[in-house]
mmCIF file of all heavy atoms in Angstrom:
data_model
loop_
_atom_site.group_PDB
_atom_site.id
_atom_site.type_symbol
_atom_site.label_atom_id
_atom_site.label_comp_id
_atom_site.label_asym_id
_atom_site.label_seq_id
_atom_site.Cartn_x
_atom_site.Cartn_y
_atom_site.Cartn_z
ATOM 1 N N THR A 74 90.160 68.986 -9.924
ATOM 2 C CA THR A 74 91.447 69.066 -9.319
ATOM 3 C C THR A 74 91.926 70.488 -9.385
ATOM 4 O O THR A 74 91.810 71.199 -10.360
ATOM 5 C CB THR A 74 92.365 68.096 -10.016
ATOM 6 O OG1 THR A 74 92.431 68.466 -11.329
ATOM 7 C CG2 THR A 74 92.037 66.645 -9.891
ATOM 8 N N ALA A 75 92.502 70.924 -8.231
ATOM 9 C CA ALA A 75 93.013 72.276 -8.166
ATOM 10 C C ALA A 75 94.286 72.382 -9.009
ATOM 11 O O ALA A 75 95.140 71.506 -9.082
ATOM 12 C CB ALA A 75 93.299 72.703 -6.715
ATOM 13 N N SER A 76 94.425 73.523 -9.732
ATOM 14 C CA SER A 76 95.642 73.804 -10.473
ATOM 15 C C SER A 76 95.903 75.373 -10.367
ATOM 16 O O SER A 76 95.221 76.015 -9.713
ATOM 17 C CB SER A 76 95.401 73.389 -11.979
ATOM 18 O OG SER A 76 94.509 74.260 -12.580
ATOM 19 N N ALA A 77 96.957 75.758 -11.102
ATOM 20 C CA ALA A 77 97.277 77.175 -11.041
ATOM 21 C C ALA A 77 96.141 78.072 -11.544
ATOM 22 O O ALA A 77 95.948 79.250 -11.130
ATOM 23 C CB ALA A 77 98.536 77.519 -11.688
ATOM 24 N N SER A 78 95.341 77.576 -12.463
ATOM 25 C CA SER A 78 94.218 78.328 -13.072
ATOM 26 C C SER A 78 92.862 77.875 -12.586
ATOM 27 O O SER A 78 91.894 78.501 -13.127
ATOM 28 C CB SER A 78 94.340 78.191 -14.561
ATOM 29 O OG SER A 78 94.199 76.853 -14.964
ATOM 30 N N SER A 79 92.728 76.961 -11.692
ATOM 31 C CA SER A 79 91.404 76.510 -11.168
ATOM 32 C C SER A 79 91.424 76.206 -9.686
ATOM 33 O O SER A 79 92.521 76.152 -9.138
ATOM 34 C CB SER A 79 90.968 75.244 -11.992
ATOM 35 O OG SER A 79 91.812 74.190 -11.618
ATOM 36 N N ILE A 80 90.211 76.076 -9.244
ATOM 37 C CA ILE A 80 90.019 75.902 -7.762
ATOM 38 C C ILE A 80 89.236 74.667 -7.596
ATOM 39 O O ILE A 80 88.263 74.320 -8.359
ATOM 40 C CB ILE A 80 89.362 77.094 -7.092
ATOM 41 C CG1 ILE A 80 90.332 78.326 -7.113
ATOM 42 C CG2 ILE A 80 88.934 76.732 -5.642
ATOM 43 C CD1 ILE A 80 89.701 79.592 -6.677
ATOM 44 N N LYS A 81 89.494 73.848 -6.606
ATOM 45 C CA LYS A 81 88.631 72.642 -6.281
ATOM 46 C C LYS A 81 87.704 73.049 -5.182
ATOM 47 O O LYS A 81 88.119 73.558 -4.101
ATOM 48 C CB LYS A 81 89.597 71.528 -5.847
ATOM 49 C CG LYS A 81 88.852 70.240 -5.579
ATOM 50 C CD LYS A 81 89.773 69.145 -5.103
ATOM 51 C CE LYS A 81 88.996 67.823 -4.722
ATOM 52 N NZ LYS A 81 89.868 66.768 -4.234
ATOM 53 N N ALA A 82 86.424 72.670 -5.320
ATOM 54 C CA ALA A 82 85.440 72.952 -4.352
ATOM 55 C C ALA A 82 84.757 71.623 -3.932
ATOM 56 O O ALA A 82 84.401 70.827 -4.800
ATOM 57 C CB ALA A 82 84.369 73.888 -4.914
ATOM 58 N N THR A 83 84.767 71.362 -2.581
ATOM 59 C CA THR A 83 84.245 70.085 -2.090
ATOM 60 C C THR A 83 83.212 70.402 -0.990
ATOM 61 O O THR A 83 83.375 71.168 -0.187
ATOM 62 C CB THR A 83 85.342 69.234 -1.484
ATOM 63 O OG1 THR A 83 86.406 69.152 -2.485
ATOM 64 C CG2 THR A 83 84.868 67.820 -1.156
ATOM 65 N N TYR A 84 82.058 69.644 -1.060
ATOM 66 C CA TYR A 84 81.010 69.705 -0.080
ATOM 67 C C TYR A 84 81.088 68.436 0.699
ATOM 68 O O TYR A 84 81.022 67.373 0.068
ATOM 69 C CB TYR A 84 79.686 69.972 -0.691
ATOM 70 C CG TYR A 84 78.437 69.798 0.224
ATOM 71 C CD1 TYR A 84 78.250 70.801 1.225
ATOM 72 C CD2 TYR A 84 77.686 68.722 0.139
ATOM 73 C CE1 TYR A 84 77.209 70.713 2.089
ATOM 74 C CE2 TYR A 84 76.648 68.542 0.999
ATOM 75 C CZ TYR A 84 76.399 69.484 1.965
ATOM 76 O OH TYR A 84 75.287 69.410 2.827
ATOM 77 N N ARG A 85 81.100 68.488 2.019
ATOM 78 C CA ARG A 85 81.118 67.268 2.881
ATOM 79 C C ARG A 85 80.033 67.351 3.845
ATOM 80 O O ARG A 85 79.758 68.348 4.498
ATOM 81 C CB ARG A 85 82.484 67.127 3.531
ATOM 82 C CG ARG A 85 83.617 66.636 2.654
ATOM 83 C CD ARG A 85 84.843 66.408 3.400
ATOM 84 N NE ARG A 85 85.887 66.073 2.491
ATOM 85 C CZ ARG A 85 87.169 66.010 2.807
ATOM 86 N NH1 ARG A 85 87.553 66.331 4.146
ATOM 87 N NH2 ARG A 85 88.106 65.712 1.940
ATOM 88 N N ILE A 86 79.419 66.100 4.221
ATOM 89 C CA ILE A 86 78.599 65.926 5.319
ATOM 90 C C ILE A 86 79.260 64.925 6.189
ATOM 91 O O ILE A 86 79.802 63.891 5.708
ATOM 92 C CB ILE A 86 77.207 65.350 4.895
ATOM 93 C CG1 ILE A 86 76.514 66.319 3.968
ATOM 94 C CG2 ILE A 86 76.433 65.166 6.056
ATOM 95 C CD1 ILE A 86 75.160 65.826 3.373
ATOM 96 N N LEU A 87 79.474 65.340 7.486
ATOM 97 C CA LEU A 87 80.162 64.442 8.424
ATOM 98 C C LEU A 87 79.240 63.897 9.496
ATOM 99 O O LEU A 87 78.132 64.468 9.693
ATOM 100 C CB LEU A 87 81.285 65.235 9.098
ATOM 101 C CG LEU A 87 82.251 65.821 8.017
ATOM 102 C CD1 LEU A 87 82.404 67.309 8.236
ATOM 103 C CD2 LEU A 87 83.633 65.144 8.039
ATOM 104 N N ASP A 88 79.674 62.858 10.186
ATOM 105 C CA ASP A 88 78.783 62.202 11.166
ATOM 106 C C ASP A 88 78.888 62.858 12.583
ATOM 107 O O ASP A 88 78.114 62.555 13.463
ATOM 108 C CB ASP A 88 79.069 60.701 11.267
ATOM 109 C CG ASP A 88 80.403 60.322 11.740
ATOM 110 O OD1 ASP A 88 81.285 61.276 11.985
ATOM 111 O OD2 ASP A 88 80.654 59.178 12.027
ATOM 112 N N ALA A 89 79.851 63.885 12.702
ATOM 113 C CA ALA A 89 80.026 64.529 13.990
ATOM 114 C C ALA A 89 80.677 65.913 13.555
ATOM 115 O O ALA A 89 81.139 66.140 12.536
ATOM 116 C CB ALA A 89 80.866 63.843 14.905
ATOM 117 N N ALA A 90 80.625 66.821 14.602
ATOM 118 C CA ALA A 90 81.190 68.213 14.325
ATOM 119 C C ALA A 90 82.759 68.091 14.114
ATOM 120 O O ALA A 90 83.344 67.253 14.750
ATOM 121 C CB ALA A 90 80.894 69.056 15.472
ATOM 122 N N ILE A 91 83.245 68.930 13.245
ATOM 123 C CA ILE A 91 84.739 68.948 13.145
ATOM 124 C C ILE A 91 85.344 70.028 14.040
ATOM 125 O O ILE A 91 84.674 70.931 14.424
ATOM 126 C CB ILE A 91 85.025 69.338 11.636
ATOM 127 C CG1 ILE A 91 84.606 70.782 11.290
ATOM 128 C CG2 ILE A 91 84.555 68.338 10.654
ATOM 129 C CD1 ILE A 91 85.184 71.287 9.999
ATOM 130 N N GLY A 92 86.626 69.825 14.402
ATOM 131 C CA GLY A 92 87.346 70.707 15.098
ATOM 132 C C GLY A 92 88.068 71.741 14.337
ATOM 133 O O GLY A 92 88.096 71.608 13.130
ATOM 134 N N SER A 93 88.744 72.724 14.998
ATOM 135 C CA SER A 93 89.203 73.832 14.241
ATOM 136 C C SER A 93 90.515 73.424 13.487
ATOM 137 O O SER A 93 90.925 74.043 12.629
ATOM 138 C CB SER A 93 89.624 74.935 15.152
ATOM 139 O OG SER A 93 90.530 74.530 16.213
ATOM 140 N N ASN A 94 91.072 72.237 13.834
ATOM 141 C CA ASN A 94 92.399 71.806 13.090
ATOM 142 C C ASN A 94 92.072 70.624 12.173
ATOM 143 O O ASN A 94 92.951 69.974 11.798
ATOM 144 C CB ASN A 94 93.418 71.456 14.166
ATOM 145 C CG ASN A 94 93.010 70.204 14.989
ATOM 146 O OD1 ASN A 94 91.881 69.929 15.064
ATOM 147 N ND2 ASN A 94 93.981 69.664 15.639
ATOM 148 N N TYR A 95 90.806 70.363 11.856
ATOM 149 C CA TYR A 95 90.422 69.210 11.081
ATOM 150 C C TYR A 95 91.175 69.222 9.635
ATOM 151 O O TYR A 95 91.691 68.200 9.293
ATOM 152 C CB TYR A 95 88.887 69.198 10.840
ATOM 153 C CG TYR A 95 88.447 68.101 9.957
ATOM 154 C CD1 TYR A 95 88.221 66.782 10.480
ATOM 155 C CD2 TYR A 95 88.096 68.278 8.613
ATOM 156 C CE1 TYR A 95 87.737 65.814 9.670
ATOM 157 C CE2 TYR A 95 87.631 67.247 7.743
ATOM 158 C CZ TYR A 95 87.474 66.009 8.298
ATOM 159 O OH TYR A 95 87.033 65.053 7.485
ATOM 160 N N PHE A 96 91.212 70.360 9.048
ATOM 161 C CA PHE A 96 91.861 70.355 7.691
ATOM 162 C C PHE A 96 93.366 70.685 7.816
ATOM 163 O O PHE A 96 94.064 70.583 6.799
ATOM 164 C CB PHE A 96 91.259 71.465 6.841
ATOM 165 C CG PHE A 96 89.805 71.090 6.442
ATOM 166 C CD1 PHE A 96 88.732 71.653 7.057
ATOM 167 C CD2 PHE A 96 89.664 70.187 5.479
ATOM 168 C CE1 PHE A 96 87.518 71.226 6.726
ATOM 169 C CE2 PHE A 96 88.381 69.782 4.995
ATOM 170 C CZ PHE A 96 87.245 70.304 5.697
ATOM 171 N N CYS A 97 93.949 70.984 8.959
ATOM 172 C CA CYS A 97 95.328 71.317 9.091
ATOM 173 C C CYS A 97 96.229 70.173 9.412
ATOM 174 O O CYS A 97 97.392 70.341 9.535
ATOM 175 C CB CYS A 97 95.502 72.393 10.144
ATOM 176 S SG CYS A 97 94.673 73.998 9.811
ATOM 177 N N GLN A 98 95.718 69.023 9.655
ATOM 178 C CA GLN A 98 96.499 67.849 9.975
ATOM 179 C C GLN A 98 97.106 67.232 8.748
ATOM 180 O O GLN A 98 96.535 67.114 7.640
ATOM 181 C CB GLN A 98 95.654 66.863 10.715
ATOM 182 C CG GLN A 98 95.075 67.371 11.970
ATOM 183 C CD GLN A 98 94.089 66.421 12.587
ATOM 184 O OE1 GLN A 98 94.353 65.342 12.675
ATOM 185 N NE2 GLN A 98 93.008 66.987 13.116
ATOM 186 N N THR A 99 98.332 66.763 8.872
ATOM 187 C CA THR A 99 99.015 66.191 7.792
ATOM 188 C C THR A 99 98.326 64.803 7.317
ATOM 189 O O THR A 99 98.146 64.556 6.147
ATOM 190 C CB THR A 99 100.538 65.811 8.238
ATOM 191 O OG1 THR A 99 101.186 67.031 8.619
ATOM 192 C CG2 THR A 99 101.312 65.237 7.021
ATOM 193 N N ILE A 100 98.032 64.022 8.287
ATOM 194 C CA ILE A 100 97.256 62.807 8.016
ATOM 195 C C ILE A 100 95.809 63.045 8.391
ATOM 196 O O ILE A 100 95.448 63.399 9.571
ATOM 197 C CB ILE A 100 97.778 61.606 8.892
ATOM 198 C CG1 ILE A 100 99.283 61.316 8.488
ATOM 199 C CG2 ILE A 100 96.950 60.406 8.713
ATOM 200 C CD1 ILE A 100 99.948 60.411 9.321
ATOM 201 N N PRO A 101 94.871 62.821 7.430
ATOM 202 C CA PRO A 101 93.464 63.063 7.761
ATOM 203 C C PRO A 101 93.031 62.321 8.956
ATOM 204 O O PRO A 101 93.251 61.089 9.063
ATOM 205 C CB PRO A 101 92.703 62.646 6.516
ATOM 206 C CG PRO A 101 93.728 62.659 5.405
ATOM 207 C CD PRO A 101 95.013 62.326 6.153
ATOM 208 N N PRO A 102 92.155 62.889 9.801
ATOM 209 C CA PRO A 102 91.692 62.201 10.997
ATOM 210 C C PRO A 102 90.716 61.153 10.716
ATOM 211 O O PRO A 102 90.026 61.207 9.685
ATOM 212 C CB PRO A 102 91.039 63.348 11.909
ATOM 213 C CG PRO A 102 90.727 64.343 10.889
ATOM 214 C CD PRO A 102 91.703 64.236 9.801
ATOM 215 N N LEU A 103 90.594 60.161 11.517
ATOM 216 C CA LEU A 103 89.706 59.001 11.303
ATOM 217 C C LEU A 103 88.143 59.394 11.703
ATOM 218 O O LEU A 103 87.214 58.841 11.214
ATOM 219 C CB LEU A 103 89.996 57.775 12.097
ATOM 220 C CG LEU A 103 91.411 57.121 11.691
ATOM 221 C CD1 LEU A 103 91.729 55.986 12.640
ATOM 222 C CD2 LEU A 103 91.242 56.621 10.257
ATOM 223 N N THR A 104 88.118 60.345 12.614
ATOM 224 C CA THR A 104 86.777 60.832 12.976
ATOM 225 C C THR A 104 86.821 62.316 12.964
ATOM 226 O O THR A 104 87.801 62.923 13.274
ATOM 227 C CB THR A 104 86.407 60.375 14.405
ATOM 228 O OG1 THR A 104 87.364 60.809 15.332
ATOM 229 C CG2 THR A 104 86.264 58.860 14.497
#
Side-chain angles (χ1 to χ4, degrees):
T74 55
S76 69
S78 62
S79 68
I80 293 174
K81 181 179 177 183
T83 307
Y84 170 74
R85 287 184 182 167
I86 300 174
L87 303 129
D88 66 354
I91 64 168
S93 60
N94 66 345
Y95 179 80
F96 290 102
C97 297
Q98 300 175 40
T99 306
I100 299 173
L103 295 175
T104 57

